[in-house]
Amino acid sequence: VQLVESGGGSVQSGGSLRLSCASSTYTYSSYCMGWFRQVPGKERAWVSSINSRGSTIYADSVKGRFTISQDNARNTLYLQMNSLKPEDTAMYYCAASKDYCSGSWRASNPDNYQSWGQGTQVTVSS
């Protein structure tokens, strides 16, 4: 599976961005798609995931501000980010797993994802 992110950029605190992740044909009937972010010198951090049933889960740091969604007809994953804060500044990556995820324990582990995009930079200024 090839993944290509887009939609990153620079915004002021309180602003919004929508990230997109276009994927090649994903034929698994059961899967998990996720967003992670990483700043230099730190480990990749889980942001949110959505499974093949459309159930969503979020990290506490973004709950209520970010919304993950998918358009299966277009093979595209989205991350709507509202009320952005400077601490949201990071490189954002989308990831795909052929394994179903129903809870944060599995969804938050980057080792459970087999395919990754190249990342898109999000910078939030105060």
Side-chain angles (χ1 to χ4, degrees), residues 65-84:
R65 300 188 298 123
F66 291 11
T67 303
I68 190 172
S69 62
Q70 59 187 354
D71 183 336
N72 292 331
R74 298 184 177 183
N75 290 332
T76 303
L77 179 72
Y78 300 100
L79 185 68
Q80 178 66 45
M81 305 186 296
N82 298 329
S83 302
L84 283 162

Side-chain angles (χ1 to χ4, degrees), residues 34-89:
W35 288 98
F36 289 76
R37 62 188 181 186
Q38 188 172 25
V39 297
K42 292 190 176 181
E43 292 186 352
R44 195 163 293 189
W46 173 69
V47 175
S48 179
S49 294
I50 186 168
N51 61 30
S52 47
R53 294 183 180 180
S55 297
T56 59
I57 26 181
Y58 298 91
D60 288 343
S61 59
V62 305
K63 199 172 294 183
R65 300 188 298 123
F66 291 11
T67 303
I68 190 172
S69 62
Q70 59 187 354
D71 183 336
N72 292 331
R74 298 184 177 183
N75 290 332
T76 303
L77 179 72
Y78 300 100
L79 185 68
Q80 178 66 45
M81 305 186 296
N82 298 329
S83 302
L84 283 162
K85 305 175 181 179
E87 50 263 44
D88 294 318
T89 295

